[in-house]
Structures are given as C-alpha cells and as structure tokens.
Amino acid sequence: MKRSLPTASFIVIFFLIPIRLNGQPGSYTHYLDHPWVDSVLSTLSMEEKLAQSHWVLCSPDDGLPELMEIARSVREHSLGGLIYTAAPDERMRELAAWCLSAGALAPVIALEGPWDGMYPGMLSLGAITSDSLRYLAGRKLAAQYRNAHVSLLISRNVDEAVASGLQDGWVQVMDPGQASGLNAFISRIPASRIREVKEGMEEPIQADRIDLHARQVLALKYWIRLQEADTAESVQKGIPDDKAAQSAFLRELYAQSMTVLNNREQLIPIRELESTRIACLAINQEQETEFQAMAARYTRTHNHFWNPGGEKLDELVGELAGYDLVLAALYPGPYKEETQEFLASLNQQSKLALVWFGDPASLGTSTGITDGGSTAGPEGLILAYEQNPFTERLSAQLLFGGIGGNGRLPVAMAEKYPAGSGIHTPGGLRLQYGFPENAGLCSAKLNRTIDSIVHRGLEAGAYPGCQVIVARKGTVVFHKAYGHHSYEDRIEVREHDLYDLASVTKISGPLSGLMFLEGMGKFSYQGRLGDYCDAMKGSDKAGLALKDVLAHRAG
C-alpha cells in the first residue's frame, strides 16, 4: 500500500543542498549514511523496503497494456527502478516521467542495452587515447541520457574517463558483471511477468539484508535528487549542443577511435595511387557503401560485393587477382569459415587491407587474422568497431592518409593483440572530409552564403551549372554540385564529374596564394594595383582596383 511520508518530506527540504565532493557529484555510495536516507528508510514498511530491490524491464516492444501494467506496479508497489533495455521511445519517456512524479520513492531510471542514438559505443570510446576527449564524450552522453530521465547506465567495458564524465554529468555507471553493489541484489522483472512482483516480495529474506539493499537504492535516489536540485551550474557547460557542432564532435570521436592493428610494409597510408590498381570489396553488402564512395574520392577504384554462401566465388577470386591492392570492408553479418578462407585466398594473391566494422571479439577467433598462425594475415588491418556513415567514411580516409590512425584496442583480441594494441599512422597526406565546424567554420552560414551566390549566378544565366568545393585546414568542409552541364538542362552536374580545364591561369595560379596572403592580413582584394606594385605607382594603372583586375574588367 502506498504510504505518505510527511517526516521524510520535511527532511528532504532540509538536507537537499547540492553538496559536491571536490567540486564534482561523486558516487552515490558516499550517501549511504546520509540523514535523508535514514529518515526515508525508517518510514518504509518491510514490503516497501523489499520493493527497492525489484526493478522492471521496459522496451520499445512492450505494448500499451504492458506499459500500463508497469506504471500501475511501479506506483502500487513502490518498485525501486525502471530499466530501459534499449533506447527509449516517446511512450517509454512518458512512462518514466509519470513514474518519477511518485515523490521520495520514485524509481531510478536505468539503461541496460544499446543506445541507438548517434554516440559511439563503449568500445569505440575506449579506443580513444585522449583522456580529455573521452571525458567530454561521457559528459555529453550524460546530458543525452538525462534528457531521457536515465540516471544509471548498466554496461560493460565503460572506460574510466568516460565513466568519470558520465558521473560528473549525473549518471552513475554499473558493470553488470560485478558481484557487489546494486548489481548483487537487483531483481530484473520482465514486463510479461510484472504481475508476479507481489509473489516475489513475499519470499523470506533476512531483515538486515533487506535494510542494506534498500539503503543502497535510497542512497542512489538521494544522489539523483541532488542533481535535480543543482541548478547553479549546467552539466553541459562547454559541451557542443547544436546539431552541426554535435556532428563535428561525433566525427572527431569516431576519427580518434580508428585502430590500426596491422601495417606491414607501411601500407597505410596508401601511396603511389597512379600506379596501383585498387579493388574495393564490400563483404555482406550488395550495393555501393559509404566506404566505397569515400575511397572513390581519392582515386579510381573498382567496386565488388560478396555475401557468404553466394555463387561465383571462384570467379570473384579470379577477378580480384588482377589488382595490386584489395580494400576489403567486412560488415556485420554471417562470418563463417568460408569467409576466412576467402580472405586468406585474397591475401595470397594480392596485398590486402581489411576493415572490420564490428566488435573485436567477433574477429578474435579468425584463423590467419588474429591467431598468429601460419599466415601473417592482411598487410593492413583496421578496427572501426561499429558500422555507420561516420566509421565507413573515416576508415577510407585513414587508408588514404586523410586522417591518421591513433586508436588503441580497449580489450584483448586473441593472444596476438593484447589490450592497448594499436599502430600510429600519419594523417595529412591528402585532404580529409569533415564538417565546417571541424575547421572552425559555421555550417549554417557557409551553406547559406554559397547557395545564395551560386543560385544568383544560375538565375542570371552566368553559367548552366557548377561545382563548389571548400577546404580549410586540410579538411574538405563543403562539396556540392549545382545545375546542369549545358543550358539545355539535359545532364545534371554530379560531384564526380571531370572537367576539361582551360583558361584558368588566374584561378589555378595566383588565386590560392592571394587568399592565403589575405588570411595573413598582407593582402586585400579591395586595394589598388599601386598599393602592391611599385612599378605602377605614378602611372595611369596605379588606381586600378585589384578586384577588377582579377575579374578581367580593369579595362
């Protein structure tokens, strides 16, 4: 039965002062003996104390009847927590918000499962060598979790710096493999068995153990209430929150997580593109991938596809034998002995660079790749940890030297690759591709300005179409095609179109140098010819505007 807690409510008002340990929230375990915890615990019935150890599981697959039953049980039995088993949908968020209005005994909202948002998984974050970047990722993750009411993350392999950032952002971390703490006694109840909660709370358990377990849950609830009272400082301070800045931040996280495990003969970054025939193979895919599309931005490649169990394997092996280098992207999917044999045969006839978009453990048993067996494995081996547009594009940029390889293996992968393994490879050999914010620019302003200028030219008939590419600090931050090849509007301009360059001396010659000088403050196109050319001073050409000279309209 739901009980009122007048005494506890009074003490909450008295003690809910956002106290921090060394300026940070600290662990909930510091509040096990807090007066608020003592007060609330003293008012609870034995049933309510026992209920603190019962947490119900909630997933997007639960229907409305299950969600209504969860809501009823959480309120009626004062259950200790609600556990998301996947990223919450809007219904689950609404359920959590309603449950949190239950006062002092409101449940803890936890996440135990994949967060299908934009953020890298824990393995990717753990591969980043920069402590400050991992910490910042934890802070940003915490803000995202808190927006979904999550205060507890139940996950394995959470890096220490990430965990610190999560905790400082008011999200506690619990390893489900631990045999102590909350994990030692929490009972996870599926929504389908929610009606059995009452029976579970009638099982005989020692009273002192029940008090100890309830105290731990109440300490966590008090820690959460401190966060709600702490309005003096935003937990997102210094963390990008607009969409464009967030995309740039995510790209940086994924870029720093890329881990090179093999680099024999210094294959990565790939050099001598003009004399190297390259095949780009996608395994477990049937159409062009982001990885292949990005590779094609650097050089001419030939795309191939293969799925385990597919026909014409011998024919494909024969076709690939004609290439100097095979870039094989291994996507999540069936990974059988047939795949191992296929990769081994490729490695025997050509140089092979393999990119794995998945968990290292899934590749850890691969004969000839990670076991240190009779074959040395592929010349190049890159772990991207996850498959998404970020990792596909960045792994291709790493192969061609746009970015460097800086990641380190966060967990051991067979005996050949202990935790911490990773080979540094240089970046900056060629341009990389990113967002304007990665180069200190503003996406909205850049896109708006370029679109406006180009469309004015199209509308005026100055050109039938064009391509605009912008690079800053070694990063391509804008690339877009506009209009058509001719005024007949028959063929649209595409980003991969090639152009017959003629009469572009001023563009390909002095323009880039003048732009560089202007950035240094040593030149201005608004100036006059006499300002920069002593030979012209005193002549009738000294007053010519440089912008007119560069635009072929100086007379």
Side-chain angles (χ1 to χ4, degrees), residues 110-173:
L111 171 68
E112 185 175 25
W115 182 264
D116 299 324
M118 297 178 293
Y119 267 76
M122 291 303 165
L123 287 172
S124 294
L125 293 176
I128 299 171
T129 57
S130 168
D131 292 342
S132 60
L133 189 58
R134 297 199 311 277
Y135 173 84
L136 188 59
R139 289 293 300 271
K140 187 62 178 178
L141 263 175
Q144 193 176 53
Y145 290 159
R146 294 296 297 160
N147 286 337
H149 309 294
V150 172
S151 300
L152 175 65
L153 175 64
I154 306 173
S155 178
R156 299 179 185 274
N157 300 319
V158 180
D159 172 78
E160 184 177 344
V162 175
S164 180
L166 285 165
Q167 184 169 286
D168 288 351
W170 296 99
V171 173
Q172 289 284 327
V173 178

Side-chain angles (χ1 to χ4, degrees), residues 8 10-21 25 27-42 214-216 218-223 225-226:
F10 173 79
I11 296 178
V12 166
I13 296 173
F14 184 76
F15 285 104
L16 274 183
I17 302 172
I19 303 172
R20 293 188 170 213
L21 303 174
S27 170
Y28 76 93
T29 56
H30 292 106
Y31 303 99
L32 288 171
D33 298 317
H34 194 277
W36 184 91
V37 176
D38 292 337
S39 174
V40 175
L41 187 63
S42 68
R215 179 177 292 277
Q216 291 195 53
L218 290 175
L220 176 57
K221 291 183 177 183
Y222 176 73
W223 184 89
R225 293 171 75 88
L226 285 181

Side-chain angles (χ1 to χ4, degrees), residues 202-496:
E202 293 176 352
E203 296 178 0
I205 302 178
Q206 295 179 356
D208 58 343
R209 287 182 58 195
I210 294 176
D211 279 7
L212 176 61
H213 296 167
R215 179 177 292 277
Q216 291 195 53
V217 176
L218 290 175
L220 176 57
K221 291 183 177 183
Y222 176 73
W223 184 89
I224 294 170
R225 293 171 75 88
L226 285 181
Q227 182 273 331
E228 295 167 352
D230 184 15
T231 58
E233 179 182 359
S234 169
V235 299
Q236 298 189 58
K237 183 177 180 181
I239 301 175
D241 54 7
D242 65 277
K243 187 174 181 180
Q246 186 178 70
S247 295
F249 179 60
L250 292 174
R251 178 196 175 276
E252 180 64 14
L253 292 177
Y254 281 115
Q256 294 300 320
S257 73
M258 294 286 143
T259 305
V260 179
L261 292 180
N262 286 4
N263 193 25
R264 296 204 313 277
E265 301 178 17
Q266 302 298 305
L267 175 67
I268 304 171
I270 302 168
R271 305 174 188 272
E272 300 177 359
L273 298 181
E274 298 81 3
S275 59
T276 305
R277 281 177 47 81
I278 300 176
C280 207
L281 171 66
I283 301 175
N284 291 320
Q285 297 292 308
E286 296 180 349
Q287 58 186 7
E288 185 182 50
T289 65
E290 294 279 0
F291 172 80
Q292 291 172 320
M294 179 56 70
R297 290 180 179 270
Y298 287 100
T299 188
R300 182 187 297 274
T301 61
H302 298 84
N303 292 341
H304 296 268
F305 307 89
W306 181 71
N307 286 280
E311 300 178 354
K312 302 181 179 180
L313 177 57
D314 292 338
E315 181 179 330
L316 177 58
V317 172
E319 291 178 7
L320 294 175
Y323 294 92
D324 303 307
L325 173 63
V326 176
L327 307 180
L330 182 54
Y331 289 81
Y335 186 66
K336 305 176 182 179
E337 184 176 349
E338 182 183 15
T339 306
Q340 299 179 20
E341 294 175 352
F342 176 48
L343 291 173
S345 64
L346 293 181
N347 203 185
Q348 290 175 0
Q349 64 188 22
S350 305
K351 287 186 177 180
L352 176 66
L354 177 65
V355 181
W356 168 230
F357 299 108
D359 189 328
S362 301
L363 198 65
T365 58
S366 176
T367 302
I369 294 180
T370 63
D371 66 348
S374 58
T375 60
E379 283 81 2
L381 177 59
I382 298 173
L383 286 186
Y385 302 100
E386 305 173 39
Q387 181 207 342
N388 57 52
F390 284 106
T391 57
E392 290 192 57
R393 295 167 187 162
L394 287 165
S395 56
Q397 293 178 53
L398 191 158
L399 282 166
F400 288 95
I403 65 172
N406 297 302
R408 294 294 181 269
L409 193 61
V411 294
M413 193 172 78
E415 295 182 3
K416 188 175 180 180
Y417 302 106
S421 298
I423 300 170
H424 171 75
T425 62
L429 178 65
R430 300 181 181 91
L431 290 173
Q432 58 180 292
Y433 290 78
F435 297 94
E437 284 71 16
N438 291 122
L441 300 174
C442 172
S443 290
K445 184 176 180 180
L446 185 67
N447 293 336
R448 183 173 61 250
T449 302
I450 294 176
D451 283 348
S452 175
I453 293 172
V454 171
H455 285 301
R456 280 203 310 245
L458 291 172
E459 292 168 1
Y463 39 80
C466 68
Q467 240 186 104
V468 179
I469 185 166
V470 177
R472 184 170 191 257
K473 297 181 178 180
T475 302
V476 176
V477 297
F478 185 96
H479 189 188
K480 189 173 180 180
Y482 300 83
H484 298 78
H485 283 202
S486 65
Y487 287 105
E488 287 78 20
D489 295 349
R490 293 178 179 174
I491 304 175
E492 291 185 347
V493 177
R494 298 172 301 176
E495 291 184 0
H496 291 292

